Amino acid sequence: MQALNFPQFSFRFKNNENKISIFDEIRKKFVILQPEEWVRQHCVQYLMNVKKYPKSLINVEKELIVNTLKKRYDIVVFNTNGSIHLIVECKAPKITINQKTFDQVARYNLELDASYLMVTNGLNHYYCQMDFNNKCFHFLKDIPEYI
């Protein structure tokens, strides 16, 4: 797999019928290693090991309803009170992050009300903090560490 713009992390892999799988610590199972999954797993490790978010507050690939349509978010980090702290949208490295990508995570946030948004293709990472009073968001250099 392609090198990404994240620190080096160690992963568990499995080869079954010529399909490589990677172990997802959050879902506690092996999942087929696709380019987007490679980015997602790096991002999860980044959140846990660099930003110190507890594994118990991280959720991966769950369904949500947006305007009666079923969608799946990539990563959500909860606050201890159950509200949502961060939504992460992961794309494969070959996917260019553009306005459409931000629109996707913004639509998810209409339902989830996260304080922070992150969009990454593993090579480029973008971070925003929501400003609900002014109905906009502000770009950040990084997301805050867990406190």
Side-chain angles (χ1 to χ4, degrees):
M1 277 280 146
Q2 178 176 355
L4 301 178
N5 188 12
F6 282 106
Q8 290 267 328
F9 300 112
S10 60
F11 298 100
R12 290 173 44 204
F13 298 97
K14 178 172 82 171
N15 188 343
N16 189 13
E17 298 177 12
N18 291 327
K19 290 185 180 173
I20 305 292
S21 296
I22 187 169
F23 188 75
D24 183 320
E25 284 189 51
I26 305 302
R27 293 180 275 184
K28 296 180 175 59
K29 66 179 185 178
F30 281 93
V31 292
I32 300 293
L33 183 56
Q34 301 285 344
E36 183 178 313
E37 191 64 46
W38 184 237
V39 172
R40 185 171 21 255
Q41 292 306 316
H42 274 80
C43 194
V44 166
Q45 292 300 316
Y46 174 76
L47 292 171
M48 291 189 310
N49 295 305
V50 176
K51 293 300 177 177
K52 306 300 183 197
Y53 288 97
K55 182 171 24 175
S56 61
L57 297 179
I58 300 173
N59 202 300
V60 174
E61 280 230 303
K62 293 286 186 195
E63 189 174 277
L64 75 149
I65 307 295
V66 179
N67 295 330
T68 70
L69 298 174
K70 289 182 181 182
K71 301 288 184 181
R72 292 184 83 75
Y73 61 71
D74 285 307
I75 303 169
V76 163
V77 178
F78 291 91
N79 293 306
T80 53
N81 67 4
S83 65
I84 296 178
H85 178 72
L86 168 70
I87 304 171
V88 182
E89 180 60 29
C90 300
K91 298 294 183 191
K94 70 177 185 179
I95 304 295
T96 302
I97 295 175
N98 55 24
Q99 187 63 49
K100 185 177 173 185
T101 314
F102 280 99
D103 291 347
Q104 179 182 2
V105 75
R107 276 192 306 278
Y108 292 176
N109 205 33
L110 291 173
E111 299 295 324
L112 300 174
D113 289 331
S115 302
Y116 296 91
L117 308 176
M118 176 180 175
V119 178
T120 181
N121 64 3
L123 305 173
N124 300 297
H125 318 298
Y126 299 93
Y127 314 95
C128 305
Q129 181 174 15
M130 296 304 301
D131 180 347
F132 292 106
N133 293 333
N134 295 309
K135 296 182 180 167
C136 65
F137 52 82
H138 305 284
F139 281 95
L140 305 170
K141 290 185 191 288
D142 202 349
I143 53 172
E145 283 194 17
Y146 181 76
I147 31 176

